[in-house]
PDB file of all heavy atoms in Angstrom:
ATOM      1  N   VAL A 111     106.498 110.928  93.372  1.00  0.00           N
ATOM      2  CA  VAL A 111     107.845 111.267  93.100  1.00  0.00           C
ATOM      3  C   VAL A 111     108.363 110.727  91.777  1.00  0.00           C
ATOM      4  O   VAL A 111     109.190 111.384  91.140  1.00  0.00           O
ATOM      5  CB  VAL A 111     108.693 110.818  94.294  1.00  0.00           C
ATOM      6  CG1 VAL A 111     110.193 111.050  93.982  1.00  0.00           C
ATOM      7  CG2 VAL A 111     108.315 111.566  95.538  1.00  0.00           C
ATOM      8  N   CYS A 112     107.852 109.573  91.376  1.00  0.00           N
ATOM      9  CA  CYS A 112     108.541 108.886  90.222  1.00  0.00           C
ATOM     10  C   CYS A 112     107.833 109.317  88.893  1.00  0.00           C
ATOM     11  O   CYS A 112     106.671 109.750  88.880  1.00  0.00           O
ATOM     12  CB  CYS A 112     108.387 107.387  90.319  1.00  0.00           C
ATOM     13  SG  CYS A 112     109.275 106.688  91.776  1.00  0.00           S
ATOM     14  N   ARG A 113     108.614 109.199  87.810  1.00  0.00           N
ATOM     15  CA  ARG A 113     108.051 109.526  86.497  1.00  0.00           C
ATOM     16  C   ARG A 113     108.280 108.280  85.598  1.00  0.00           C
ATOM     17  O   ARG A 113     109.191 107.575  85.810  1.00  0.00           O
ATOM     18  CB  ARG A 113     108.795 110.673  85.878  1.00  0.00           C
ATOM     19  CG  ARG A 113     108.764 111.996  86.654  1.00  0.00           C
ATOM     20  CD  ARG A 113     107.379 112.630  86.491  1.00  0.00           C
ATOM     21  NE  ARG A 113     107.173 113.680  87.479  1.00  0.00           N
ATOM     22  CZ  ARG A 113     106.422 113.525  88.627  1.00  0.00           C
ATOM     23  NH1 ARG A 113     105.923 112.361  88.903  1.00  0.00           N
ATOM     24  NH2 ARG A 113     106.307 114.526  89.485  1.00  0.00           N
ATOM     25  N   GLY A 115     109.501 105.762  82.920  1.00  0.00           N
ATOM     26  CA  GLY A 115     110.820 105.627  82.260  1.00  0.00           C
ATOM     27  C   GLY A 115     111.982 105.677  83.235  1.00  0.00           C
ATOM     28  O   GLY A 115     113.110 105.542  82.837  1.00  0.00           O
ATOM     29  N   GLN A 116     111.648 105.965  84.555  1.00  0.00           N
ATOM     30  CA  GLN A 116     112.767 105.975  85.507  1.00  0.00           C
ATOM     31  C   GLN A 116     113.156 104.527  85.958  1.00  0.00           C
ATOM     32  O   GLN A 116     112.493 103.580  85.666  1.00  0.00           O
ATOM     33  CB  GLN A 116     112.364 106.834  86.691  1.00  0.00           C
ATOM     34  CG  GLN A 116     112.290 108.288  86.342  1.00  0.00           C
ATOM     35  CD  GLN A 116     111.987 109.222  87.540  1.00  0.00           C
ATOM     36  OE1 GLN A 116     111.152 108.828  88.369  1.00  0.00           O
ATOM     37  NE2 GLN A 116     112.542 110.361  87.612  1.00  0.00           N
ATOM     38  N   LEU A 117     114.245 104.487  86.748  1.00  0.00           N
ATOM     39  CA  LEU A 117     114.752 103.185  87.318  1.00  0.00           C
ATOM     40  C   LEU A 117     114.954 103.389  88.818  1.00  0.00           C
ATOM     41  O   LEU A 117     115.450 104.440  89.198  1.00  0.00           O
ATOM     42  CB  LEU A 117     116.156 102.920  86.735  1.00  0.00           C
ATOM     43  CG  LEU A 117     116.342 102.912  85.220  1.00  0.00           C
ATOM     44  CD1 LEU A 117     117.910 102.959  84.945  1.00  0.00           C
ATOM     45  CD2 LEU A 117     115.850 101.517  84.737  1.00  0.00           C
ATOM     46  N   VAL A 118     114.600 102.420  89.561  1.00  0.00           N
ATOM     47  CA  VAL A 118     114.864 102.457  91.013  1.00  0.00           C
ATOM     48  C   VAL A 118     115.643 101.240  91.436  1.00  0.00           C
ATOM     49  O   VAL A 118     115.092 100.089  91.356  1.00  0.00           O
ATOM     50  CB  VAL A 118     113.590 102.626  91.924  1.00  0.00           C
ATOM     51  CG1 VAL A 118     113.897 102.512  93.382  1.00  0.00           C
ATOM     52  CG2 VAL A 118     112.929 103.974  91.607  1.00  0.00           C
ATOM     53  N   PRO A 119     116.918 101.360  91.833  1.00  0.00           N
ATOM     54  CA  PRO A 119     117.696 100.215  92.283  1.00  0.00           C
ATOM     55  C   PRO A 119     117.328  99.870  93.770  1.00  0.00           C
ATOM     56  O   PRO A 119     116.955 100.683  94.532  1.00  0.00           O
ATOM     57  CB  PRO A 119     119.140 100.661  92.172  1.00  0.00           C
ATOM     58  CG  PRO A 119     119.101 102.210  92.355  1.00  0.00           C
ATOM     59  CD  PRO A 119     117.684 102.623  91.808  1.00  0.00           C
ATOM     60  N   SER A 120     117.571  98.565  94.090  1.00  0.00           N
ATOM     61  CA  SER A 120     117.434  98.136  95.429  1.00  0.00           C
ATOM     62  C   SER A 120     118.249  96.792  95.542  1.00  0.00           C
ATOM     63  O   SER A 120     118.755  96.339  94.506  1.00  0.00           O
ATOM     64  CB  SER A 120     115.975  97.886  95.809  1.00  0.00           C
ATOM     65  OG  SER A 120     115.818  97.509  97.162  1.00  0.00           O
ATOM     66  N   VAL A 136     107.875 102.564  86.101  1.00  0.00           N
ATOM     67  CA  VAL A 136     109.294 102.619  86.557  1.00  0.00           C
ATOM     68  C   VAL A 136     109.886 101.215  86.634  1.00  0.00           C
ATOM     69  O   VAL A 136     109.217 100.265  87.016  1.00  0.00           O
ATOM     70  CB  VAL A 136     109.378 103.258  88.014  1.00  0.00           C
ATOM     71  CG1 VAL A 136     110.786 103.324  88.475  1.00  0.00           C
ATOM     72  CG2 VAL A 136     108.711 104.620  87.971  1.00  0.00           C
ATOM     73  N   GLU A 137     111.117 101.058  86.216  1.00  0.00           N
ATOM     74  CA  GLU A 137     111.750  99.787  86.228  1.00  0.00           C
ATOM     75  C   GLU A 137     112.344  99.549  87.606  1.00  0.00           C
ATOM     76  O   GLU A 137     113.185 100.368  88.138  1.00  0.00           O
ATOM     77  CB  GLU A 137     112.857  99.717  85.175  1.00  0.00           C
ATOM     78  CG  GLU A 137     113.397  98.283  84.928  1.00  0.00           C
ATOM     79  CD  GLU A 137     114.486  98.250  83.931  1.00  0.00           C
ATOM     80  OE1 GLU A 137     114.507  99.052  82.973  1.00  0.00           O
ATOM     81  OE2 GLU A 137     115.345  97.296  84.076  1.00  0.00           O
ATOM     82  N   VAL A 139     115.032  97.659  89.748  1.00  0.00           N
ATOM     83  CA  VAL A 139     116.262  96.942  89.375  1.00  0.00           C
ATOM     84  C   VAL A 139     116.834  96.311  90.678  1.00  0.00           C
ATOM     85  O   VAL A 139     117.133  96.999  91.630  1.00  0.00           O
ATOM     86  CB  VAL A 139     117.259  97.938  88.851  1.00  0.00           C
ATOM     87  CG1 VAL A 139     118.519  97.177  88.317  1.00  0.00           C
ATOM     88  CG2 VAL A 139     116.705  98.739  87.712  1.00  0.00           C
ATOM     89  N   VAL A 164     125.663  99.115  91.284  1.00  0.00           N
ATOM     90  CA  VAL A 164     124.923 100.360  91.525  1.00  0.00           C
ATOM     91  C   VAL A 164     125.689 101.536  90.854  1.00  0.00           C
ATOM     92  O   VAL A 164     125.108 102.345  90.167  1.00  0.00           O
ATOM     93  CB  VAL A 164     124.845 100.649  93.081  1.00  0.00           C
ATOM     94  CG1 VAL A 164     124.179 102.092  93.288  1.00  0.00           C
ATOM     95  CG2 VAL A 164     124.023  99.604  93.798  1.00  0.00           C
ATOM     96  N   ALA A 166     127.750 101.391  88.359  1.00  0.00           N
ATOM     97  CA  ALA A 166     127.621 101.287  86.912  1.00  0.00           C
ATOM     98  C   ALA A 166     126.242 101.775  86.456  1.00  0.00           C
ATOM     99  O   ALA A 166     126.184 102.490  85.429  1.00  0.00           O
ATOM    100  CB  ALA A 166     127.825  99.771  86.468  1.00  0.00           C
ATOM    101  N   LEU A 167     125.254 101.429  87.219  1.00  0.00           N
ATOM    102  CA  LEU A 167     123.891 101.898  86.876  1.00  0.00           C
ATOM    103  C   LEU A 167     123.826 103.458  86.914  1.00  0.00           C
ATOM    104  O   LEU A 167     123.264 104.071  86.049  1.00  0.00           O
ATOM    105  CB  LEU A 167     122.873 101.264  87.825  1.00  0.00           C
ATOM    106  CG  LEU A 167     121.462 101.739  87.638  1.00  0.00           C
ATOM    107  CD1 LEU A 167     120.786 100.851  86.537  1.00  0.00           C
ATOM    108  CD2 LEU A 167     120.630 101.752  88.912  1.00  0.00           C
ATOM    109  N   LEU A 168     124.397 104.024  88.015  1.00  0.00           N
ATOM    110  CA  LEU A 168     124.356 105.469  88.098  1.00  0.00           C
ATOM    111  C   LEU A 168     125.146 106.150  87.019  1.00  0.00           C
ATOM    112  O   LEU A 168     124.809 107.213  86.542  1.00  0.00           O
ATOM    113  CB  LEU A 168     124.889 105.880  89.524  1.00  0.00           C
ATOM    114  CG  LEU A 168     123.905 105.496  90.674  1.00  0.00           C
ATOM    115  CD1 LEU A 168     124.622 105.656  92.014  1.00  0.00           C
ATOM    116  CD2 LEU A 168     122.632 106.356  90.640  1.00  0.00           C
ATOM    117  N   GLN A 169     126.297 105.563  86.699  1.00  0.00           N
ATOM    118  CA  GLN A 169     127.121 106.150  85.612  1.00  0.00           C
ATOM    119  C   GLN A 169     126.350 106.119  84.297  1.00  0.00           C
ATOM    120  O   GLN A 169     126.381 107.117  83.521  1.00  0.00           O
ATOM    121  CB  GLN A 169     128.392 105.310  85.367  1.00  0.00           C
ATOM    122  CG  GLN A 169     129.313 105.165  86.559  1.00  0.00           C
ATOM    123  CD  GLN A 169     130.366 106.258  86.667  1.00  0.00           C
ATOM    124  OE1 GLN A 169     130.477 107.002  85.695  1.00  0.00           O
ATOM    125  NE2 GLN A 169     131.081 106.327  87.706  1.00  0.00           N
ATOM    126  N   ARG A 170     125.689 104.960  84.084  1.00  0.00           N
ATOM    127  CA  ARG A 170     125.043 104.808  82.754  1.00  0.00           C
ATOM    128  C   ARG A 170     123.697 105.602  82.657  1.00  0.00           C
ATOM    129  O   ARG A 170     123.403 106.168  81.669  1.00  0.00           O
ATOM    130  CB  ARG A 170     124.846 103.330  82.574  1.00  0.00           C
ATOM    131  CG  ARG A 170     124.511 102.826  81.209  1.00  0.00           C
ATOM    132  CD  ARG A 170     124.406 101.306  81.137  1.00  0.00           C
ATOM    133  NE  ARG A 170     123.341 100.783  82.010  1.00  0.00           N
ATOM    134  CZ  ARG A 170     123.552  99.923  82.961  1.00  0.00           C
ATOM    135  NH1 ARG A 170     124.727  99.458  83.250  1.00  0.00           N
ATOM    136  NH2 ARG A 170     122.535  99.542  83.735  1.00  0.00           N
ATOM    137  N   ASP A 171     122.905 105.423  83.743  1.00  0.00           N
ATOM    138  CA  ASP A 171     121.541 105.874  83.689  1.00  0.00           C
ATOM    139  C   ASP A 171     121.134 106.823  84.870  1.00  0.00           C
ATOM    140  O   ASP A 171     119.913 106.887  85.158  1.00  0.00           O
ATOM    141  CB  ASP A 171     120.623 104.634  83.733  1.00  0.00           C
ATOM    142  CG  ASP A 171     120.435 103.966  82.409  1.00  0.00           C
ATOM    143  OD1 ASP A 171     120.210 104.789  81.429  1.00  0.00           O
ATOM    144  OD2 ASP A 171     120.476 102.713  82.329  1.00  0.00           O
ATOM    145  N   GLY A 172     122.129 107.439  85.451  1.00  0.00           N
ATOM    146  CA  GLY A 172     121.895 108.267  86.642  1.00  0.00           C
ATOM    147  C   GLY A 172     120.738 109.265  86.508  1.00  0.00           C
ATOM    148  O   GLY A 172     119.979 109.469  87.407  1.00  0.00           O
ATOM    149  N   ALA A 173     120.653 109.880  85.326  1.00  0.00           N
ATOM    150  CA  ALA A 173     119.593 110.853  85.062  1.00  0.00           C
ATOM    151  C   ALA A 173     118.174 110.223  85.257  1.00  0.00           C
ATOM    152  O   ALA A 173     117.237 110.940  85.477  1.00  0.00           O
ATOM    153  CB  ALA A 173     119.765 111.430  83.719  1.00  0.00           C
ATOM    154  N   ARG A 174     118.074 108.913  85.090  1.00  0.00           N
ATOM    155  CA  ARG A 174     116.738 108.280  85.208  1.00  0.00           C
ATOM    156  C   ARG A 174     116.477 107.739  86.564  1.00  0.00           C
ATOM    157  O   ARG A 174     115.413 107.102  86.846  1.00  0.00           O
ATOM    158  CB  ARG A 174     116.730 107.106  84.153  1.00  0.00           C
ATOM    159  CG  ARG A 174     116.701 107.646  82.741  1.00  0.00           C
ATOM    160  CD  ARG A 174     116.974 106.439  81.774  1.00  0.00           C
ATOM    161  NE  ARG A 174     115.862 105.430  81.873  1.00  0.00           N
ATOM    162  CZ  ARG A 174     115.988 104.220  81.468  1.00  0.00           C
ATOM    163  NH1 ARG A 174     117.144 103.723  81.025  1.00  0.00           N
ATOM    164  NH2 ARG A 174     114.929 103.355  81.505  1.00  0.00           N
ATOM    165  N   VAL A 175     117.421 107.922  87.543  1.00  0.00           N
ATOM    166  CA  VAL A 175     117.216 107.388  88.883  1.00  0.00           C
ATOM    167  C   VAL A 175     116.673 108.432  89.856  1.00  0.00           C
ATOM    168  O   VAL A 175     117.413 109.389  90.170  1.00  0.00           O
ATOM    169  CB  VAL A 175     118.479 106.790  89.404  1.00  0.00           C
ATOM    170  CG1 VAL A 175     118.386 106.294  90.854  1.00  0.00           C
ATOM    171  CG2 VAL A 175     118.990 105.614  88.529  1.00  0.00           C
ATOM    172  N   PRO A 176     115.443 108.386  90.355  1.00  0.00           N
ATOM    173  CA  PRO A 176     114.922 109.422  91.264  1.00  0.00           C
ATOM    174  C   PRO A 176     115.517 109.226  92.691  1.00  0.00           C
ATOM    175  O   PRO A 176     115.712 110.197  93.392  1.00  0.00           O
ATOM    176  CB  PRO A 176     113.436 109.257  91.257  1.00  0.00           C
ATOM    177  CG  PRO A 176     113.232 107.768  90.873  1.00  0.00           C
ATOM    178  CD  PRO A 176     114.386 107.363  90.005  1.00  0.00           C
ATOM    179  N   PHE A 177     115.711 107.975  93.087  1.00  0.00           N
ATOM    180  CA  PHE A 177     116.223 107.665  94.423  1.00  0.00           C
ATOM    181  C   PHE A 177     116.641 106.216  94.400  1.00  0.00           C
ATOM    182  O   PHE A 177     116.244 105.438  93.518  1.00  0.00           O
ATOM    183  CB  PHE A 177     115.266 107.970  95.560  1.00  0.00           C
ATOM    184  CG  PHE A 177     113.881 107.328  95.298  1.00  0.00           C
ATOM    185  CD1 PHE A 177     113.659 106.038  95.621  1.00  0.00           C
ATOM    186  CD2 PHE A 177     112.864 108.093  94.832  1.00  0.00           C
ATOM    187  CE1 PHE A 177     112.364 105.457  95.453  1.00  0.00           C
ATOM    188  CE2 PHE A 177     111.628 107.553  94.645  1.00  0.00           C
ATOM    189  CZ  PHE A 177     111.390 106.179  94.900  1.00  0.00           C
ATOM    190  N   GLY A 178     117.449 105.772  95.401  1.00  0.00           N
ATOM    191  CA  GLY A 178     117.829 104.394  95.520  1.00  0.00           C
ATOM    192  C   GLY A 178     116.989 103.850  96.733  1.00  0.00           C
ATOM    193  O   GLY A 178     116.576 104.565  97.675  1.00  0.00           O
ATOM    194  N   MET A 179     116.716 102.570  96.669  1.00  0.00           N
ATOM    195  CA  MET A 179     116.074 101.902  97.790  1.00  0.00           C
ATOM    196  C   MET A 179     116.892 100.748  98.351  1.00  0.00           C
ATOM    197  O   MET A 179     117.724 100.258  97.606  1.00  0.00           O
ATOM    198  CB  MET A 179     114.646 101.341  97.419  1.00  0.00           C
ATOM    199  CG  MET A 179     113.617 102.438  97.238  1.00  0.00           C
ATOM    200  SD  MET A 179     111.932 101.717  97.005  1.00  0.00           S
ATOM    201  CE  MET A 179     111.442 101.422  98.727  1.00  0.00           C
ATOM    202  N   TYR A 200     126.608 102.552 100.232  1.00  0.00           N
ATOM    203  CA  TYR A 200     125.481 102.721  99.280  1.00  0.00           C
ATOM    204  C   TYR A 200     124.954 104.158  99.352  1.00  0.00           C
ATOM    205  O   TYR A 200     124.749 104.845  98.340  1.00  0.00           O
ATOM    206  CB  TYR A 200     124.363 101.726  99.539  1.00  0.00           C
ATOM    207  CG  TYR A 200     123.150 101.731  98.632  1.00  0.00           C
ATOM    208  CD1 TYR A 200     123.302 101.893  97.292  1.00  0.00           C
ATOM    209  CD2 TYR A 200     121.884 101.504  99.164  1.00  0.00           C
ATOM    210  CE1 TYR A 200     122.159 101.902  96.429  1.00  0.00           C
ATOM    211  CE2 TYR A 200     120.759 101.468  98.354  1.00  0.00           C
ATOM    212  CZ  TYR A 200     120.978 101.686  96.996  1.00  0.00           C
ATOM    213  OH  TYR A 200     119.793 101.644  96.186  1.00  0.00           O
ATOM    214  N   LEU A 204     125.111 107.009  96.435  1.00  0.00           N
ATOM    215  CA  LEU A 204     123.876 107.700  95.920  1.00  0.00           C
ATOM    216  C   LEU A 204     124.020 109.178  96.106  1.00  0.00           C
ATOM    217  O   LEU A 204     123.674 109.979  95.207  1.00  0.00           O
ATOM    218  CB  LEU A 204     122.627 107.139  96.682  1.00  0.00           C
ATOM    219  CG  LEU A 204     122.091 105.854  96.282  1.00  0.00           C
ATOM    220  CD1 LEU A 204     121.115 105.234  97.307  1.00  0.00           C
ATOM    221  CD2 LEU A 204     121.480 105.778  94.891  1.00  0.00           C
ATOM    222  N   HIS A 207     125.943 111.102  93.758  1.00  0.00           N
ATOM    223  CA  HIS A 207     125.176 111.329  92.505  1.00  0.00           C
ATOM    224  C   HIS A 207     123.905 112.168  92.734  1.00  0.00           C
ATOM    225  O   HIS A 207     123.116 112.293  91.870  1.00  0.00           O
ATOM    226  CB  HIS A 207     124.810 110.006  91.856  1.00  0.00           C
ATOM    227  CG  HIS A 207     126.027 109.291  91.234  1.00  0.00           C
ATOM    228  ND1 HIS A 207     126.287 109.319  89.949  1.00  0.00           N
ATOM    229  CD2 HIS A 207     126.966 108.548  91.829  1.00  0.00           C
ATOM    230  CE1 HIS A 207     127.411 108.603  89.661  1.00  0.00           C
ATOM    231  NE2 HIS A 207     127.844 108.168  90.797  1.00  0.00           N
ATOM    232  N   GLY A 208     123.809 112.747  93.899  1.00  0.00           N
ATOM    233  CA  GLY A 208     122.723 113.584  94.221  1.00  0.00           C
ATOM    234  C   GLY A 208     121.364 112.907  94.365  1.00  0.00           C
ATOM    235  O   GLY A 208     120.306 113.451  94.185  1.00  0.00           O
ATOM    236  N   LYS A 209     121.405 111.612  94.771  1.00  0.00           N
ATOM    237  CA  LYS A 209     120.190 110.816  94.904  1.00  0.00           C
ATOM    238  C   LYS A 209     119.930 110.465  96.324  1.00  0.00           C
ATOM    239  O   LYS A 209     120.841 110.035  97.038  1.00  0.00           O
ATOM    240  CB  LYS A 209     120.283 109.509  94.133  1.00  0.00           C
ATOM    241  CG  LYS A 209     120.844 109.559  92.709  1.00  0.00           C
ATOM    242  CD  LYS A 209     119.946 110.324  91.767  1.00  0.00           C
ATOM    243  CE  LYS A 209     120.524 110.371  90.416  1.00  0.00           C
ATOM    244  NZ  LYS A 209     119.738 111.339  89.555  1.00  0.00           N
ATOM    245  N   PRO A 210     118.670 110.573  96.839  1.00  0.00           N
ATOM    246  CA  PRO A 210     118.340 110.183  98.156  1.00  0.00           C
ATOM    247  C   PRO A 210     118.279 108.666  98.241  1.00  0.00           C
ATOM    248  O   PRO A 210     118.086 107.965  97.255  1.00  0.00           O
ATOM    249  CB  PRO A 210     116.941 110.800  98.436  1.00  0.00           C
ATOM    250  CG  PRO A 210     116.604 111.603  97.275  1.00  0.00           C
ATOM    251  CD  PRO A 210     117.572 111.258  96.114  1.00  0.00           C
ATOM    252  N   TRP A 274     109.194 116.546  99.422  1.00  0.00           N
ATOM    253  CA  TRP A 274     108.087 115.753  98.789  1.00  0.00           C
ATOM    254  C   TRP A 274     106.881 115.702  99.656  1.00  0.00           C
ATOM    255  O   TRP A 274     105.797 115.193  99.285  1.00  0.00           O
ATOM    256  CB  TRP A 274     108.566 114.303  98.617  1.00  0.00           C
ATOM    257  CG  TRP A 274     109.726 114.068  97.754  1.00  0.00           C
ATOM    258  CD1 TRP A 274     110.046 114.878  96.696  1.00  0.00           C
ATOM    259  CD2 TRP A 274     110.659 113.034  97.730  1.00  0.00           C
ATOM    260  NE1 TRP A 274     111.191 114.406  96.054  1.00  0.00           N
ATOM    261  CE2 TRP A 274     111.602 113.251  96.694  1.00  0.00           C
ATOM    262  CE3 TRP A 274     110.858 111.889  98.518  1.00  0.00           C
ATOM    263  CZ2 TRP A 274     112.604 112.375  96.404  1.00  0.00           C
ATOM    264  CZ3 TRP A 274     111.884 111.026  98.226  1.00  0.00           C
ATOM    265  CH2 TRP A 274     112.763 111.246  97.188  1.00  0.00           C
TER     266      TRP A 274
END
Side-chain angles (χ1 to χ4, degrees):
V111 173
C112 297
R113 300 283 165 265
Q116 289 184 324
L117 306 164
V118 173
S120 186
V136 179
E137 191 182 331
V139 187
V164 175
L167 178 86
L168 289 168
Q169 301 269 352
R170 195 177 61 238
D171 275 319
R174 293 166 64 200
V175 175
F177 50 82
M179 287 191 80
Y200 181 39
L204 286 167
H207 287 262
K209 314 292 180 191
W274 298 334

